[in-house]
Amino acid sequence: MTDTFKTEFRGVHLEHDRYLALLAIVLLGYALMGKGFAYLGFPPLYVGEIAFLGGIVVFLRTGAFVGALATLPAMLLVVLMAWVLARTFPFIGLYGFDSLRDSAIVIYGSFAFIVIGLLLEDARRINNVLRYYGIMLVSSPAMFVGLLFIKYWESYIPRLYGPVPVVDIGPSSVGTHLGGTMVFVLIGYRRVSLLWIIVWFATLALVSATNRAATLAVIVPVSIAMLVLRRYRLMLTTVVAAVVLFAALLTIESTFGDYSEAKDSIERPVSAHQIVENVTSIIGQSGQQTEGTKQWRLNWWDIIINDTIYGPDFWTGRGFGINLADADGFGGTGDPRNPHPPLRSPHNAHMTLLARAGVPGVVLWALVLVSWFGMLTRAMLTARARGDERWVELFLFVACYAMSIMINATFDVVLEGPMQGIWFWCLFGLGVGSVMVHRAQSSNKFRQQVCDEL
């Protein structure tokens, strides 16, 4: 009987390892192919939904129900998910599948519990996660090629599912993974070649000329990682080299070329002048095109704030399912050349939750984020005090990666889709699960020390 049980458990354990590998493949596909990968499947069951349903089965089989709820961020996330579902179900009859699609911004949080359950079942899977990410880091230069094709030769990319190209990645998601891969390199989990570094900076230049939020999503987390790791000399050297190189490029462009402001964000040229324009727009006043997109966001956010914080939808929001763009008069502002579904939500995840779930929803959302980042920060400080530097580096990597996605989510439609939404919630689960494993190991070491002294 005992041998039979062990055999069955080992079989289940292996199946869960395979699911973790499958989830890693899904995340890699989102990173390298973007929406082209997201459209794989059989509508309405795309690859993300298939991974979601399979993950729920895996989580139920791990039996980690109580353990997965043993932290404050996990408990708050459950409450937030319950509130979102309460603001979703009443509108399914009216809006149909759109209600479920809009609620995915939080319901994708189920992936966090799937990851937590997998790590609690076997802590060695943390090493598997890092090994899988090392594979992505090696293949990350493919994002540079994909981004180039999307910007300059999109018409040459084959289309298997309607109007969406097989490879359809944007600067927003690429910026997120640029930040994550560089932090992974900084903490020393994998060595890279000079060619990889050159391609990384070339990709950053392409992203910086195209998308302001993605630029911040790279620079801010990488800078924080350098400071935490005390890589001050490397940070100073990088800044000086980047400034000198950028000044040289700007001088060459000013001498031998002419710069004209782009008509829209899609046609922004990859140039030093455009990067200056984007940076100026972030910290102050810039040209008409970049200021226009910034003001467009601010106008929409003002409408949402007036409708909720100062308006009739304070407690409930407008629910999940309604097209906020049409409701607020921004339905016709999308680019007619864009083959993807029309805009439904404001370019800000926090505003999306405020508009759809009201003030209680956005407060719960803020508590989830603050408690999660706070838990990781405390875990880093505890690990550093105990000399567990590898754990410090792991917590730093997860926190910086999630921060990169959150920066993007503040200025773009990010968490509402699977390409970055599933990535974020898997990182959320990796953070919670890793902290719990570290606490358990530290507790075991403490008990062992006490026994040795006795």
Side-chain angles (χ1 to χ4, degrees):
M1 177 67 71
T2 304
D3 292 340
T4 301
F5 174 78
K6 288 183 177 180
T7 302
E8 291 176 353
F9 180 79
R10 192 177 299 115
V12 171
H13 198 276
L14 181 60
E15 290 178 5
H16 294 177
D17 287 338
R18 289 171 178 169
Y19 174 79
L20 182 62
L22 172 64
L23 183 58
I25 293 173
V26 170
L27 294 176
L28 178 64
Y30 284 141
L32 300 184
M33 299 174 62
K35 289 184 179 180
F37 184 82
Y39 273 81
L40 294 177
F42 307 95
L45 290 178
Y46 296 103
V47 63
E49 284 69 29
I50 294 173
F52 176 83
L53 295 176
I56 295 298
V57 174
V58 168
F59 176 72
L60 293 176
R61 296 177 71 182
T62 62
F65 314 113
V66 177
L69 299 176
T71 62
L72 180 60
M75 286 293 296
L76 290 172
L77 177 56
V78 169
V79 176
L80 174 61
M81 293 172 68
W83 178 252
V84 167
L85 289 175
R87 299 302 303 142
T88 300
F89 289 145
F91 301 96
I92 292 179
L94 181 61
Y95 298 109
F97 186 73
D98 285 341
S99 295
L100 298 177
R101 180 174 63 179
D102 291 338
S103 68
I105 185 174
V106 170
I107 302 305
Y108 275 147
S110 300
F111 279 100
F113 295 104
I114 294 169
V115 174
I116 294 171
L118 288 170
L119 298 187
L120 293 184
E121 185 183 49
D122 188 348
R124 292 171 297 181
R125 289 186 177 130
I126 295 176
N127 296 324
N128 294 341
V129 171
L130 297 176
R131 185 164 58 251
Y132 293 147
Y133 191 79
I135 296 174
M136 176 183 161
L137 183 138
V138 173
S139 58
S140 61
M143 293 188 294
F144 175 68
V145 178
L147 200 56
L148 278 179
F149 266 90
I150 286 295
K151 186 168 182 62
Y152 296 110
W153 308 292
E154 183 179 355
S155 59
Y156 294 97
I157 304 177
R159 287 159 168 76
L160 298 180
Y161 296 89
V164 180
V166 173
V167 176
D168 187 5
I169 56 177
S172 174
S173 60
V174 172
T176 292
H177 299 305
L178 279 180
T181 53
M182 182 52 73
V183 174
F184 197 79
V185 171
L186 286 172
I187 61 181
Y189 279 160
R190 192 177 186 101
R191 294 182 178 274
V192 293
S193 64
L194 178 61
L195 177 61
W196 187 93
I197 296 175
I198 292 174
V199 174
W200 188 92
F201 276 103
T203 310
L204 176 59
L206 183 59
V207 167
S208 299
T210 310
N211 190 291
R212 289 163 288 183
T215 305
L216 289 175
V218 179
I219 294 175
V220 173
V222 171
S223 299
I224 291 176
M226 285 185 173
L227 291 173
V228 173
L229 295 171
R230 303 184 180 98
R231 306 291 288 273
Y232 308 126
R233 181 177 298 179
L234 176 61
M235 187 175 187
L236 180 61
T237 302
T238 303
V239 171
V240 172
V243 170
V244 171
L245 179 60
F246 182 79
L249 291 175
L250 189 62
T251 302
I252 293 173
E253 283 185 11
S254 301
T255 304
F256 299 101
D258 295 323
Y259 170 75
S260 58
E261 187 176 1
K263 297 179 181 179
D264 54 42
S265 58
I266 296 178
E267 295 183 357
R268 287 175 183 170
V270 180
S271 67
H273 281 89
Q274 185 61 56
I275 295 175
V276 171
E277 190 79 11
N278 292 345
V279 173
T280 305
S281 178
I282 293 174
I283 62 178
Q285 192 81 11
S286 63
Q288 182 176 356
Q289 192 278 319
T290 49
E291 284 301 308
T293 56
K294 182 170 73 173
Q295 192 59 47
W296 171 82
R297 288 178 172 86
L298 294 176
N299 291 340
W300 194 352
W301 298 348
D302 284 341
I303 292 176
I304 292 173
I305 291 173
N306 290 330
D307 180 74
T308 50
I309 296 179
Y310 304 112
D313 296 321
F314 181 95
W315 292 108
T316 61
R318 283 177 278 181
F320 291 82
I322 185 174
N323 187 317
L324 295 176
D326 290 338
D328 292 334
F330 292 85
T333 58
D335 193 310
R337 297 169 296 173
N338 189 348
H340 306 300
L343 181 66
R344 297 184 53 81
S345 302
H347 286 219
N348 186 308
H350 321 300
M351 287 295 169
T352 296
L353 285 168
L354 176 62
R356 297 190 182 280
V359 172
V362 78
V363 168
L364 285 170
W365 169 245
L367 291 174
V368 168
L369 296 180
V370 170
S371 64
W372 187 79
F373 281 106
M375 181 185 68
L376 281 179
T377 301
R378 181 181 178 183
M380 274 190 282
L381 295 174
T382 302
R384 174 157 286 177
R386 293 173 177 171
D388 299 332
E389 288 301 322
R390 300 308 285 175
W391 283 103
V392 174
E393 294 162 353
L394 174 62
F395 299 144
L396 178 65
F397 167 67
V398 175
C400 287
Y401 216 143
M403 182 188 303
S404 181
I405 297 178
M406 196 50 54
I407 292 172
N408 266 329
T410 305
F411 303 98
D412 207 345
V413 181
V414 169
L415 298 182
E416 293 85 342
M419 287 77 67
Q420 293 188 64
I422 294 179
W423 262 98
F424 175 79
W425 289 115
C426 285
L427 288 167
F428 189 98
L430 177 59
V432 173
S434 299
V435 169
M436 295 181 70
V437 170
H438 179 250
R439 288 176 179 173
Q441 290 187 359
S442 300
S443 177
N444 290 336
K445 289 180 181 179
F446 176 75
R447 286 197 295 267
Q448 185 62 45
Q449 289 175 356
V450 172
C451 292
D452 291 342
E453 291 176 359
L454 294 176

